[in-house]
Amino acid sequence: MIKDCGAPLFRTIREVTFSRKSVNFYSKSIHESKYEQILNNESKERFQKTLNSFNKPIINSSRLNIVLKPDYKKAAVLVPLCTHTNEPSILFMLRSKKLSQHRGEVCFPGGMMDTADEDLIQTAIRETHEEIGLPKNVTDIWGQMNDIPGTSSSSLVTPIVGYCGDVTIEDFVLNDDEVEEVFITPIKTLCDANNASSTTFRAKHSYTIPVFLDTKHRIWGLTAIILYQVLKILTPDLFTYKLRHRP
């Protein structure tokens, strides 16, 4: 028979419980601190260093079985990193319902390269200005990612990653012919593995692409592929979702 062990045992249980809570709180604090630092200069340098070391995309676009047409055109999109209500975020566009293709789908601002554009970075900046009114001189370019063939086989898309500063929805002037709306999603939400999923297309050559669900609008297709690759480089410790192909 064990006597007088209630109080010591209670203290031990309580100390262990408090210890676990402290560890969980400490772990949460570390994560919060990492999110707060995602868009600082150190993160930018790390992103650029990682990007420069890649000689192939994270998602192999050859699996998509897209063969570019001989007369394909070059295009670029801007992945607009930003700060919104003090949270590191990414801005997205919803394509206008007036468009003949991909109407009502989520995308990044961008478009076809113009003959007057010096390079694809200028293409992304110009198109973003034309579509949502973002001033051409505010974006700090972080890097240029691997080209991805467009699903129509008629374009080769280059994602340009840049930081646009502190923004609000009211800052943007939308081109109604091309843009239905813009929305901003915290990077913390995008990194939550519970918000990410995938879809597999089974044809002659099956392939799997990511899908992001817990946002204002579902993010899938080429935009989801680009987003997945950006998050893997930008937040490798925080974005833990792994895309697995199941034939």
Side-chain angles (χ1 to χ4, degrees), residues 79-134:
V79 181
L81 308 176
C82 61
T83 304
H84 177 61
T85 60
N86 296 321
E87 279 200 88
S89 305
I90 297 179
L91 181 140
F92 299 90
M93 229 175 65
L94 192 68
R95 290 171 60 87
S96 172
K97 295 176 182 177
K98 300 176 184 177
L99 296 172
S100 59
Q101 293 182 330
H102 305 292
R103 62 171 68 92
E105 293 184 7
V106 174
C107 67
F108 290 117
M112 297 297 177
M113 187 176 191
D114 192 90
T115 53
D117 295 336
E118 293 181 2
D119 52 30
L120 289 164
I121 292 176
Q122 187 174 355
T123 299
I125 296 296
R126 174 185 56 76
E127 285 283 343
T128 300
H129 174 68
E130 292 175 1
E131 290 177 339
I132 64 174
L134 183 72

Side-chain angles (χ1 to χ4, degrees), residues 27-217:
S27 177
K28 184 177 180 181
S29 298
I30 291 175
H31 274 252
E32 292 294 336
S33 177
K34 285 185 177 181
Y35 278 117
E36 291 172 0
Q37 299 172 17
I38 282 176
L39 301 181
N40 63 15
N41 286 330
E42 183 180 342
S43 181
K44 174 186 174 181
E45 292 173 3
R46 185 170 58 250
F47 180 89
Q48 292 174 330
K49 183 178 180 180
T50 305
L51 189 60
N52 291 335
S53 68
F54 278 13
N55 56 13
K56 61 181 180 179
I58 296 172
I59 298 177
N60 188 351
S61 60
S62 64
R63 285 187 179 179
L64 303 181
N65 195 33
I66 298 174
V67 179
L68 288 170
K69 296 177 180 178
D71 60 343
Y72 77 88
K73 296 180 180 180
K74 292 183 177 181
V77 297
L78 178 67
V79 181
L81 308 176
C82 61
T83 304
H84 177 61
T85 60
N86 296 321
E87 279 200 88
S89 305
I90 297 179
L91 181 140
F92 299 90
M93 229 175 65
L94 192 68
R95 290 171 60 87
S96 172
K97 295 176 182 177
K98 300 176 184 177
L99 296 172
S100 59
Q101 293 182 330
H102 305 292
R103 62 171 68 92
E105 293 184 7
V106 174
C107 67
F108 290 117
M112 297 297 177
M113 187 176 191
D114 192 90
T115 53
D117 295 336
E118 293 181 2
D119 52 30
L120 289 164
I121 292 176
Q122 187 174 355
T123 299
I125 296 296
R126 174 185 56 76
E127 285 283 343
T128 300
H129 174 68
E130 292 175 1
E131 290 177 339
I132 64 174
L134 183 72
K136 295 181 180 180
N137 61 345
V138 302
T139 305
D140 177 29
I141 300 300
W142 282 28
Q144 182 171 317
M145 301 187 67
N146 293 90
D147 302 329
I148 303 175
T151 52
S152 64
S153 303
S154 59
S155 62
L156 188 63
V157 182
T158 302
I160 308 296
V161 181
Y163 177 59
C164 305
D166 195 356
V167 301
T168 64
I169 294 295
E170 292 74 23
D171 294 335
F172 303 101
V173 180
L174 309 186
N175 180 340
D176 294 336
D177 292 330
E178 298 186 53
V179 185
E180 194 74 21
E181 66 173 284
V182 295
F183 65 98
I184 300 169
T185 303
I187 292 176
K188 183 191 302 182
T189 299
L190 297 169
C191 285
D192 187 341
N194 294 320
N195 297 335
S197 185
S198 65
T199 182
T200 298
F201 294 85
R202 291 180 173 85
K204 183 178 180 180
H205 298 279
S206 64
Y207 59 92
T208 301
I209 62 173
V211 181
F212 294 84
L213 301 172
D214 193 18
T215 57
K216 187 174 182 181
H217 302 282

Side-chain angles (χ1 to χ4, degrees), residues 227-241:
L227 177 60
Y228 180 91
Q229 297 189 138
V230 169
L231 293 176
K232 281 295 182 184
I233 300 173
L234 180 65
T235 60
D237 297 333
L238 302 172
F239 183 56
T240 57
Y241 178 76

